[in-house]
Amino acid sequence: MSAAAACAACAGALRPDVLPGTFRCTACGFLCSDLPVRINAAEAIDEDVRAQALKPIRDANFAQLLDACADLLPPGTRLLDVGCAHGWFLQAAAARGIAAEGLEPDRDMLRRAHAAGLAAREGFFPQALPEGAQYQAITFNDVFEHLPQPAAMARAVAAALAPGGIAIVNLPVAEGFIFRAARVFGRLGLRGPLARMWQEGLPSPHLSYFTAPALERMFADAGLTLVRRGELASIVTTGLYARIRYDRSVGPARAAVLYGAALAARAVAGLFPSDIQYFVFRRPE
Ligand SMILES: [Zn+2]
C-alpha cells in the first residue's frame, strides 16, 4: 500500500498514520494497514494459553450479542460464522437452536473446532463456500478487521446472504476510548499499546480500523441496510493477565505494567464509547 492509495470506504486520500505500516483517510477517518499476514506459518503464540485467556471475554461478548439479536436469529436459522476459530460462537449459537456452521483458514484452529464436534469448513471467505451458497445469517466475530479488500468482502457478504438475511459484524472501532488513547500515546512516542491494538507482529494483524460511519457506508454501497447497532464490553478482567501474556515476547514485568494500565483504562473507559461494537446489516427481500 502506498500513501497515494485510496480509502476503501470513501475513496478519500490516505496518509501515513502514527504506527509505521498504518494509514488514515483524511476525509472519513477510516484506518488501514499493510501489516504482514502469516496465517498457518510457524508462530510465537502459545495457543493453549491464548485460548484460556480469550475464552471468558469471547463467551461474555457472544452471550450479549446473541441476546441482543435473539429476535433476528430464531431457532433453525442457517448461519455461517466466518473465521470461527475454536468454534466458541458456533457452540453458543447451537445452544440457542441456530443451525450454525463455520469457516476457518487456520488449520490448527480448524482441528480444535472439529475436535469439539463442530461443523466447520477449511478456507477463506468467500472462495471456500460451495458455488451459490446462501445463508440466512453470516457473522464476523472479531474477523472483518482482519480481511483484505473489505469493500469487496462486503459485496461478497451481500451475495452470500439469502434475501432478507442478516450480517452481524462485531469488531474494534476507531472511536473506541482505548484505541484513541493508544493513538495519543503513539503520537507521544509510546507505540507499544497502539501496536497491540493493530496486533502488529501476530500472524493475522488488523488490516482495518473502521469508524462506524465508514463501516455503514461500505455495507450500504454493497446494498445492505443497517438495522441495529450496539456496544459490547471491551475489557473483561477475568483472564486479562493471561491474555496479555499469550504473546511469549511479553515478559512478566511488562505484562504487569500492561495489566495495571488496562485496569486503569477500564475504570474510565465506561464513560466513553466502547472499543467493541456490533452492527447488523440486512439484505433487502
Ligand atoms: Zn475515507
Side-chain angles (χ1 to χ4, degrees), residues 47-177:
E47 187 47 48
D48 290 321
V49 173
R50 190 174 104 106
Q52 174 201 344
L54 287 174
K55 199 162 191 310
I57 190 169
R58 291 290 163 87
D59 282 348
N61 281 351
F62 292 157
Q64 192 190 342
L65 185 62
L66 286 165
D67 284 345
C69 299
D71 58 315
L72 302 170
L73 299 168
T77 299
R78 279 182 298 109
L79 181 148
L80 175 72
D81 185 38
V82 179
C84 66
H86 311 77
W88 297 333
F89 182 79
L90 296 177
Q91 285 174 321
R96 295 172 187 239
I98 297 165
E101 67 172 74
L103 185 62
E104 174 56 49
D106 183 309
R107 286 187 290 274
D108 181 51
M109 286 291 184
L110 192 71
R111 260 196 308 279
R112 290 161 191 268
H114 287 164
L118 299 164
R121 191 185 299 274
E122 180 179 347
F124 289 94
F125 179 85
Q127 301 92 312
L129 297 180
E131 182 75 24
Q134 287 196 323
Y135 300 85
Q136 293 167 307
I138 302 178
T139 50
F140 294 87
N141 293 303
D142 263 325
V143 165
F144 203 77
E145 70 276 22
H146 296 272
L147 302 181
Q149 299 183 299
M153 289 294 169
R155 292 192 292 273
V157 171
L161 278 178
I166 58 163
I168 302 177
V169 182
N170 83 66
L171 77 182
V173 291
E175 293 96 332
F177 169 73

Side-chain angles (χ1 to χ4, degrees), residues 21-44:
T22 67
F23 305 84
R24 184 170 184 272
C25 174
T26 54
C28 79
F30 170 77
L31 295 110
C32 56
S33 83
D34 57 8
L35 297 171
V37 177
R38 302 183 317 275
I39 292 172
N40 290 326
E43 54 191 77

Side-chain angles (χ1 to χ4, degrees), residues 6-11 30 125 144 147-159 208 210 214-215 217-224:
C7 169
C10 79
F30 170 77
F125 179 85
F144 203 77
L147 302 181
Q149 299 183 299
M153 289 294 169
R155 292 192 292 273
V157 171
S208 300
F210 287 91
L215 187 73
R217 178 176 186 143
M218 199 174 280
F219 277 83
D221 287 347
L224 302 178

Side-chain angles (χ1 to χ4, degrees), residues 18 177-190 194:
V18 178
F177 169 73
I178 298 171
F179 183 75
R180 288 194 299 181
R183 270 185 91 230
V184 170
F185 283 126
R187 282 188 195 288
L188 298 174
L190 190 66
L194 190 60

